[in-house]
Each structure stands twice: as structure tokens, then as C-alpha cells.
């Protein structure tokens, strides 16, 4: 995570640095990314970068964490709009992710992240949806309509959320690896999420 000096920056300067880092991570993978390119784009001295982040990994995972926090807010909003339907919410969020990836920079950023996935990257994406976090988020648990779900207890509900996230991740990786169109990527996800729905809905 960033150092306190980063958080003390004016918002405009924070965004300039974040966008410069994102541009570099959109160009190449984290492994190949260059701090020199980030500071050149942000128009700051190299030494200033290290006042804000420990290294390029620190900047990269901060950006992923921002997307994770945005994801949990969208998740809550979608649950409310769908009257607690977890499957409708999953489809809404997946489509939102696909739409966000229509811009070249966003698509390249996520493509580099997903196609170079390791445990740390996956953990950063999903940490806000981990069992420990969801257990603390009473609002989310109570928003989910469980009346039609074939579950025994709250633990089952948390597992369902994690299974849906795993299916979404798998489909995103496939969509980037095969360079699927929006419609084809959506079609593949809908097929899998509907199979899950059939298995988890009560008769």
C-alpha cells in the first residue's frame, strides 16, 4: 500500500500518479513495467515515486485494491436494484466489467492482470469478497434474497458468493485469452451462471 506521503498529496496529484502507473501497467505486465516510464508520464522525479510507493508492485496492487473496493460498492448497489437476486447481480457486475474493458487502456490493464494472474493478484481482486470480509458486512448478507436458494446456513451463502466470483474470474481470463467480443464473453458467462442457478435454486 502507498506511504502516508501519497495520501497527503492533493487529489489531483494522486490521480496524475495513479493514471501514469495504470498507463504503464496497461502497456506491459507488472513484471515488465518500468518505474522510469511511470515517473516520466507523471512528470515527477524518480525519487518522488519512492516517497509514495515502496516499488512498482506497491503501486500496482494499490490500483487493484481500488478496483476491488469499487467492486464491493457496485455489488451492494446491484443487490439493492435486483431485490437481492445474487445471480442477477452477478450478471450485472460481469456486464459492467466487460463494458469497462471496452476502452483500450482498461482492457489492456485487466488483460495484463488476468493473463499474468498469480495468487497475490487474485487475492487482491477478491479480498473484499473473502469470507472474513463478507462475515463483517452484515448489509450484504441481509441484502441477499435467500428464500429461493438451496442452502442450509449462512456459511453456504458465503460459499455461493465465492463460487460465483470464481466463475466470473474464469470467464474473464478466457475472454482475454481468446479475445472474445463483448457479446461472446457475455454469452459464455450467462451459460455458466444459469447452470449454477439451476443447481442452487429450490424446486
Amino acid at each position: 500500500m502507498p506511504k502516508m506521503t501519497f495520501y497527503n498529496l492533493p487529489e489531483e496529484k494522486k490521480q496524475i500518479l495513479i493514471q501514469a502507473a495504470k498507463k504503464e501497467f496497461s502497456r506491459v505486465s507488472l513484471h515488465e513495467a518500468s518505474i522510469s516510464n511511470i515517473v516520466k508520464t507523471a512528470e515527477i522525479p524518480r525519487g518522488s515515486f519512492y516517497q509514495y510507493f515502496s516499488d512498482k508492485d506497491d503501486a500496482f496492487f494499490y490500483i487493484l485494491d481500488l478496483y476491488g473496493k469499487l467492486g464491493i460498492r457496485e455489488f451492494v448497489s446491484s443487490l439493492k436494484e435486483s431485490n437481492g437476486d445474487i445471480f442477477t447481480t452477478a450478471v450485472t457486475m460481469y456486464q459492467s466489467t466487460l463494458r469497462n474493458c471496452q476502452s483500450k487502456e482498461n482492457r489492456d490493464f485487466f488483460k495484463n492482470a488476468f493473463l499474468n494472474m498469480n495468487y497475490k493478484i487474485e487475492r487482491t481482486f477478491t479480498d473484499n469478497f473473502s469470507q472474513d470480509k463478507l462475515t463483517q458486512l452484515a448489509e450484504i448478507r441481509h441484502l441477499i434474497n435467500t428464500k429461493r436458494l438451496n442452502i442450509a446456513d449462512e456459511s453456504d451463502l458465503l460459499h455461493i458468493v465465492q463460487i460465483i466470483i470464481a466463475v466470473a474470474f474464469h470467464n474473464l481470463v478466457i475472454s482475454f485469452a481468446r479475445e472474445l467480443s463483448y457479446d461472446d464473453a457475455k454469452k459464455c458467462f450467462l451459460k455458466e451462471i444459469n447452470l449454477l442457478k439451476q443447481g442452487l435454486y429450490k424446486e
Side-chain angles (χ1 to χ4, degrees):
M1 290 296 105
K3 299 177 181 179
M4 189 54 64
T5 48
F6 173 81
Y7 292 111
N8 290 334
L9 283 173
E11 188 60 32
E12 183 180 357
K13 290 187 176 180
K14 284 184 196 173
Q15 290 304 316
I16 289 173
L17 186 50
I18 289 171
Q19 291 305 313
K22 186 180 173 186
K23 181 178 180 180
E24 178 64 4
F25 298 132
S26 299
R27 187 183 69 85
V28 292
S29 68
L30 169 61
H31 176 70
E32 299 172 295
S34 163
I35 290 176
S36 295
N37 287 338
I38 295 174
V39 299
K40 182 179 179 180
T41 301
E43 298 183 344
I44 61 172
R46 187 181 180 92
S48 294
F49 179 88
Y50 291 105
Q51 290 180 350
Y52 308 134
F53 298 99
S54 298
D55 49 32
K56 64 181 182 180
D57 292 52
D58 202 18
F60 178 77
F61 286 106
Y62 172 68
I63 294 173
L64 287 192
D65 188 59
L66 290 179
Y67 280 113
K69 287 180 170 60
L70 176 62
I72 199 73
R73 290 197 296 271
E74 290 183 353
F75 185 71
V76 170
S77 177
S78 295
L79 273 175
K80 290 177 179 177
E81 291 177 5
S82 67
N83 296 315
D85 189 317
I86 189 69
F87 296 102
T88 298
T89 296
V91 172
T92 298
M93 291 194 66
Y94 190 78
Q95 290 175 322
S96 175
T97 301
L98 291 179
R99 284 194 297 270
N100 288 336
C101 290
Q102 295 307 295
S103 76
K104 187 177 187 310
E105 184 175 284
N106 280 349
R107 184 169 183 81
D108 289 346
F109 177 81
F110 284 111
K111 181 177 181 179
N112 285 332
F114 278 103
L115 296 187
N116 293 279
M117 186 77 74
N118 57 32
Y119 174 76
K120 189 174 180 181
I121 292 175
E122 182 178 355
R123 178 69 184 269
T124 303
F125 267 124
T126 62
D127 188 54
N128 288 290
F129 293 93
S130 68
Q131 184 160 330
D132 289 340
K133 290 287 181 69
L134 288 174
T135 300
Q136 298 169 14
L137 294 173
E139 179 185 15
I140 290 179
R141 301 199 312 275
H142 296 309
L143 281 173
I144 298 174
N145 185 347
T146 59
K147 291 179 180 177
R148 292 197 62 194
L149 292 177
N150 187 21
I151 59 174
D153 53 34
E154 190 171 277
S155 175
D156 286 352
L157 177 60
L158 294 173
H159 284 299
I160 288 175
V161 172
Q162 291 172 335
I163 289 169
I164 290 173
I165 291 170
V167 171
F169 262 71
H170 170 74
N171 275 270
L172 285 169
V173 171
I174 294 299
S175 72
F176 287 123
R178 298 179 181 174
E179 298 186 351
L180 299 180
S181 67
Y182 173 91
D183 289 337
D184 286 343
K186 175 183 170 182
K187 182 179 178 181
C188 290
F189 180 72
L190 283 174
K191 181 174 182 179
E192 293 190 10
I193 208 70
N194 284 332
L195 286 171
L196 268 181
K197 185 176 180 178
Q198 291 171 27
L200 290 168
Y201 260 23
K202 293 178 180 177
E203 295 294 334

